[in-house]
Amino acid sequence: MSRGDLTDAEWAVLGSLLPVSNNRCGRWRDHRQVINGIIHRLGTGVQWRELPERFGPWKTVHKRHLRWSADGTCERLLHHLQAVADAVSGIDWDINVDSTSIRAHQHAAGARRKPPPALLAGEKGAAGRSVHVRADAPHLLGGGGAPGEALGRSRGGLTTKVHLASDGRCRPLALLVTPGQRADCTQFIPVMDKIRVPRVGSGRPRRLPDSLSADRAYSNSKIRTYLRRRGISHAIPEKRDTIAARERRGSRGGRPPGFDTERCAARNTVERAVNTLKQFRAVATRYDKRAYVFLGTVTAAAILIWLRS
């Protein structure tokens, strides 16, 4: 083993959850060796073709990462780890929401203007064999130029924004990528809708937190109505112009929303979750051309955070 490779205990958790080859195209290279290659690239940001030989052919590691990013394998692994933690009350459901900008390397630009690859129900068979799209496959970003690949223009160049919700122990619960100029408040509901922690055994997945905190970027009536209708207590500071507008209206402006200063101070957990994600160099700087592949990269980093927390 080298530094960063999966331990035996970590492999025992992930090994049984990975796809199994149907033997139509020969035997697959060992999953553990491939995952160690993905982890090495996550931590170093090295080009795929520069992976050390001990991880096997770099094309195998690269294509396996692309496949698992496209077919939802990364997301299922993350949900499983969250479900195991929730079963022993290991998740702090006082969550926090925020976003972070990721500088995109020039190698991240120039993706082909075509839709993402088809998601197959099984491995590809012989040429000409009919294939079926997975019913549970996630919606993939891409195929629409730079905006479709979650690349946005800014003064510093190309940027991508990662929106996330984290639990009270600085671990990502839900992840979403958009172009860098996309406003935080527009992605609040999509991020909340991606929170889905399955139950170990029977029961519906848990989607609603005990409480929520966010910064002023998420202070608007649409978000507050969304939280109020679902009975989620929240601590979101008001914007100054909102306070001034309410005071100008006097009694017709209504009462100010409740605000818990101590609960809002706990928002630092999402900032620490962002810092933990950016310890992985392939996350701190985006090198992936396709949006769904970069989301898979960020999700793989989140899997390691949950696995090693």
Side-chain angles (χ1 to χ4, degrees):
M1 285 181 57
S2 298
R3 186 171 67 91
D5 288 357
L6 290 176
T7 64
D8 292 338
E10 293 167 352
W11 173 245
V13 175
L14 297 181
S16 61
L17 304 173
L18 296 173
V20 179
S21 173
N22 59 12
N23 296 321
R24 292 179 182 175
C25 302
R27 296 179 60 185
W28 278 4
R29 182 167 289 273
D30 180 46
H31 279 324
R32 185 172 182 177
Q33 182 185 28
V34 172
I35 291 177
N36 286 335
I38 294 174
I39 293 174
H40 180 83
R41 189 257 179 176
L42 266 177
T44 62
V46 68
Q47 294 183 2
W48 288 107
R49 62 180 66 247
E50 300 298 332
L51 282 175
E53 294 183 358
R54 64 187 180 89
F55 300 120
W58 69 268
K59 286 186 177 180
T60 300
V61 183
H62 180 219
K63 290 184 177 179
R64 197 79 57 87
H65 176 61
L66 264 60
R67 180 185 297 274
W68 289 347
S69 299
D71 66 8
T73 298
C74 291
E75 191 172 7
R76 287 194 296 274
L77 292 176
L78 180 60
H79 286 166
H80 173 78
L81 295 175
Q82 292 171 349
V84 172
D86 190 46
V88 294
S89 301
I91 296 181
D92 184 347
W93 282 99
D94 293 324
I95 74 169
N96 304 279
V97 178
D98 206 348
S99 69
T100 182
S101 293
I102 305 292
R103 180 70 170 89
H105 194 273
Q106 60 183 356
H107 293 169
R112 297 180 181 179
R113 289 178 175 267
K114 65 178 183 178
L119 304 179
L120 310 183
E123 293 300 313
K124 186 182 295 184
R129 182 182 297 274
S130 61
V131 295
H132 303 281
V133 179
R134 291 176 55 97
D136 60 343
H139 174 70
L140 299 183
L141 299 171
E149 299 297 347
L151 290 172
R153 292 287 181 180
S154 68
R155 292 182 179 181
L158 295 174
T159 56
T160 296
K161 186 173 283 188
V162 176
H163 306 261
L164 73 156
S166 73
D167 75 337
R169 299 182 180 179
C170 310
R171 298 171 298 186
L173 283 172
L175 297 160
L176 189 68
V177 297
T178 64
Q181 76 277 7
R182 195 64 56 82
D184 292 355
C185 60
T186 62
Q187 303 304 310
F188 177 82
I189 295 177
V191 169
M192 292 295 293
D193 290 343
K194 288 198 70 174
I195 297 177
R196 179 182 175 276
V197 178
R199 308 283 186 179
V200 175
S202 59
R204 295 181 179 180
R206 177 163 182 177
R207 296 178 177 272
L208 299 181
D210 294 332
S211 67
L212 179 139
S213 179
D215 58 23
R216 285 185 174 87
Y218 299 91
S219 178
N220 60 42
S221 58
K222 182 178 180 180
I223 290 176
R224 294 184 188 277
T225 301
Y226 173 91
L227 295 171
R228 188 161 49 249
R229 288 179 175 176
R230 286 158 180 78
I232 302 173
S233 62
H234 55 279
I236 303 177
E238 282 190 289
K239 297 180 181 179
R240 293 180 180 177
D241 57 349
T242 304
I243 297 175
R246 185 181 65 252
E247 291 177 348
R248 284 196 303 268
R249 298 186 64 186
S251 60
R252 294 179 301 171
R255 293 178 299 176
F259 182 70
D260 186 345
T261 304
E262 293 184 0
R263 176 65 184 90
C264 188
R267 192 177 57 84
N268 67 84
T269 56
V270 69
E271 304 288 354
R272 289 153 61 191
V274 168
N275 291 338
T276 306
L277 281 173
K278 286 190 172 182
Q279 293 300 312
F280 299 92
R281 294 192 175 188
V283 176
T285 301
R286 173 178 170 177
Y287 301 102
D288 300 308
K289 292 183 182 292
R290 308 307 300 266
Y292 74 92
V293 179
F294 180 64
L295 180 58
T297 298
V298 181
T299 305
I303 290 172
L304 289 178
I305 293 172
W306 279 91
L307 191 61
R308 294 171 176 176
S309 64

